[in-house]
Amino acid sequence: METLTLLMTGFAVAGTPMNLALAAVGAVLGTMVGVLPGLGPVNAVAMLVPVVFALGLPPESSMILMAAIYIGSEYGGRISAILINVPGEASAVMTALEGYPLSRQGLAGVALSLSAWTSFLGSVLATVGIVLAAPVLSRWALAFGPVEYVALMIFAFACLTGLLSDQPIKALLATGIGLALSTIGIDANSGVMRYTFDMPNLIDGLAFSTLVIGLFAISELLILLQSHRDGVSVKIERMGRNLFNFKEMRFTLPAALRGAGIGFFIGLLPGAGGTVASALAYSTERKITERNDPEGSRFGKGDLRGLATVEAANNSASNSNFIPMLTLGIPSSGTTAIMLGVLTLYNLTPGPMLFTSQPELVWGLIASLFIGNVMLLAMNIPLVGVFARMLSVPAWVLVPFIVVVSAVGVYSGKSASFDLILMVVVGAAAYWLRRMQVPMAPLILGFVLGGILETNLRRALSLSAGEMQILWSSPIAIALWLAAAGILLLPRLLRRVLPPEARLSDD
Amino acid sequence: MSSNRSLGAMALLMAATLAAFGWGLVAPFAYEPVGPRAFPMLTAGLIALCGVILLIGGGNDAEAVSHRTMTGIVMLTVTLLVYAVIFERLGYVPATFLMSGIVARIFGASWVQAAVSGAVLSVGSYLLFDRGLDVVLPAGILGGLF
């Protein structure tokens, strides 16, 4: 009952005209960036960071906008995967496996509408799951002091290092770089200037928006150039029948429901997201089909069940991802890490307290997930042709546009050329790191959580007058330390289960 | 050199820089057992550890990038850097026109396409952001024009 009241509060927040408009804008924008090959939600959300502050949006509105972009891009990612076999983002790789063969057979319209429907199904089921699970998970949040926070942060880093990456050392290095960057600026406790090199622009530390835009938007352009090939003409197969029929829906429903279930639980794991979920759902469904219905299996040649399960899993996971993010402050992807960073810019500490201190924000966000998904379904079935046309926007129009939005965003923060130069330098460095296969999500998480980790570490050690033992003095802290150790061993197990496509994603 | 080795070497260099410039970070008056120096030193230690492991492990050669792509990457980076520097001095519209034109050329546009898209983008975005959304952008040398 209490949950229902809270959910109603959430709908009241999400249902204000401004928040509805933001969800709609986010859904359109998200679908568009999802369609564009090479541009993922993380780039769009990064570019939006300064915008939400320039517009003076309250925290719940910025979260609603960013969440709509995030889930919208999952809908968009499948369009380019199905039509031209180019996944717009990592989690759509599995979609292309079944979707592209279908569109080669003249069933593009069916594949697109069916995947929009199963995406919707997955998302909504996961959101229902969030509503049921979140209050339970948030209940034990009250017992968190500095000691527990330190252990929680370590657990968060362990999650991103161990689960997300096939090269844990590089993820650890990325975390270290993020932590190091977070120390730049004046130390709030002692007033000592750290790594400012007498530059007044660095006294407040690195601006979050400058850093994320450099890391994600600018480095992405350099990567885009690397993969850019002149004269690739986009040939879209004919659409065929526009909507799936009832028989196809019934045929794929069990697969979609299984996918949604798998996606939901994978998304709950801090550190694992849509990419892992879609890969796992795909291989599960393939095994089930080949056992029960070996003659009917068209896996690899365009099986509707494969497409349905992947899309349901992928969207279910990106929605249930909000549970570890909201209850523990552990994001599973670059996108949710940026959203957490934005919360800290509003002076909100990500973590267990959020549910009790900011119920309107949390429940508004959850309610907006429902609203956003309905909007996305309503938009995606009739307008798929319009979004597909985004595929023919040439890079020479797109790239200068991204540079301009990035530069204006960074400049609007402090009106300083310094930040523009910093943005480019960060972008070039991030490009090099990404070529060396260093993941960006742990880096941004290190930067976001670095300050909170240091403050709590120092606070805990002040309580104990410097005794290190206090760090593992409470049951919750011990459990988190153990879980952190466990999670570092888990990937070795997961790697045996998952196909190689389910590797690291930055989106 | 393998890419993991270069990454490891870079990490060690970074850790050394952090340690060298962080060692002097001592608060004149300490109210707490852990001062401003400990955390940066821990971070430097973590980065150095990763660096050593990568340096010893080696391996993982990054896929070679063609000469033409590398030139493009350098050109794009330099263009963006120059854009950042002239953004305020030259003003938003001319700087954006130049940047946009050159970037469009790098991404394969013809001269005419580059010039037209640059003009539309620079003037259009100026009107949108500066006039429409109240983001103050530097007027620069064309100050009187808009």
Side-chain angles (χ1 to χ4, degrees), chain A residues 214-226:
Chain A
L215 280 180
F216 293 103
I218 299 298
S219 75
E220 192 68 46
L221 299 181
L222 294 167
I223 290 192
L224 212 60
L225 181 61
Q226 191 183 318

Side-chain angles (χ1 to χ4, degrees), chain A residues 3 6-11 13-14 130-132 134-135 355 358-368:
Chain A
T3 309
L6 286 167
L7 187 61
M8 284 301 124
T9 325
F11 271 104
V13 173
I130 298 179
V131 172
L132 297 177
F355 266 86
Q358 297 288 330
E360 297 197 339
L361 180 138
V362 174
W363 288 97
L365 177 61
I366 294 174
S368 82

Side-chain angles (χ1 to χ4, degrees), chain A residues 218 221 398-408, chain B residues 80 83 99 103:
Chain A
I218 299 298
L221 299 181
L398 191 62
V399 173
F401 177 76
I402 293 172
V403 176
V404 162
V405 176
S406 303
V408 171
Chain B
L80 294 179
Y83 180 53
M99 177 282 294
V103 170

Side-chain angles (χ1 to χ4, degrees), chain A residues 253-319:
Chain A
L253 192 62
L257 291 178
R258 273 192 288 272
I262 291 174
F264 181 75
F265 286 105
I266 295 287
L268 280 184
L269 290 179
T275 315
V276 179
S278 58
L280 190 63
Y282 181 78
S283 51
T284 311
E285 198 58 35
R286 188 170 189 157
K287 269 184 213 129
I288 292 178
T289 310
E290 279 167 2
R291 203 182 51 218
N292 296 342
D293 178 23
E295 287 94 60
S297 167
R298 302 184 43 77
F299 272 79
K301 290 171 281 180
D303 196 305
L304 285 173
R305 286 166 294 190
L307 183 68
T309 195
V310 163
E311 277 307 308
N314 178 11
N315 285 271
S316 170
S318 9
N319 282 276

Side-chain angles (χ1 to χ4, degrees), chain A residues 125-206:
Chain A
L125 288 178
T127 314
V128 172
I130 298 179
V131 172
L132 297 177
V136 182
L137 288 170
S138 63
R139 203 155 291 155
W140 49 270
L142 298 167
F144 270 59
V147 172
E148 287 81 10
Y149 264 111
V150 171
L152 180 64
M153 305 287 152
I154 303 294
F155 176 63
F157 294 137
C159 286
L160 271 198
T161 306
L163 278 181
L164 190 67
S165 173
D166 55 343
Q167 299 193 62
I169 282 297
K170 292 185 185 175
L172 199 62
L173 176 63
T175 311
I177 296 173
L179 291 174
L181 293 177
S182 79
T183 61
I184 294 174
I186 193 163
D187 171 41
N189 283 23
S190 63
V192 171
M193 299 287 183
R194 298 195 292 191
Y195 306 113
T196 52
F197 305 103
D198 293 325
M199 284 188 264
N201 281 307
L202 285 177
I203 290 176
D204 298 332
L206 293 183

Side-chain angles (χ1 to χ4, degrees), chain B residues 33-118:
Chain B
V34 184
R37 184 170 65 184
F39 193 75
M41 289 300 130
L42 267 175
T43 314
L46 177 71
I47 294 175
L49 178 74
C50 295
V52 169
I53 295 174
L54 286 166
L55 207 56
I56 294 173
N60 191 33
D61 291 296
E63 48 180 312
V65 173
S66 75
H67 189 69
R68 191 168 147 264
T69 311
M70 208 55 232
T71 321
I73 302 257
V74 171
M75 269 164 59
L76 183 54
T77 314
V78 171
T79 309
L80 294 179
L81 259 185
V82 172
Y83 180 53
V85 173
I86 63 173
F87 193 84
E88 278 189 318
R89 304 215 178 122
L90 214 56
Y92 177 78
V93 175
T96 303
F97 175 72
L98 289 175
M99 177 282 294
S100 172
I102 295 169
V103 170
R105 285 286 299 161
I106 295 175
F107 276 88
S110 71
W111 282 108
V112 177
Q113 286 170 329
V116 172
S117 68

Side-chain angles (χ1 to χ4, degrees), chain A residues 289-355:
Chain A
T289 310
E290 279 167 2
R291 203 182 51 218
N292 296 342
D293 178 23
E295 287 94 60
S297 167
R298 302 184 43 77
F299 272 79
K301 290 171 281 180
D303 196 305
L304 285 173
R305 286 166 294 190
L307 183 68
T309 195
V310 163
E311 277 307 308
N314 178 11
N315 285 271
S316 170
S318 9
N319 282 276
S320 68
N321 258 188
F322 282 108
I323 294 185
M325 181 203 144
L326 289 171
T327 54
L328 297 174
I330 304 177
S332 305
S333 60
T335 317
T336 39
I338 294 176
M339 290 176 68
L340 267 193
V342 169
L343 281 181
T344 62
L345 293 183
Y346 284 108
N347 283 325
L348 298 172
T349 307
M353 293 304 286
L354 214 54
F355 266 86

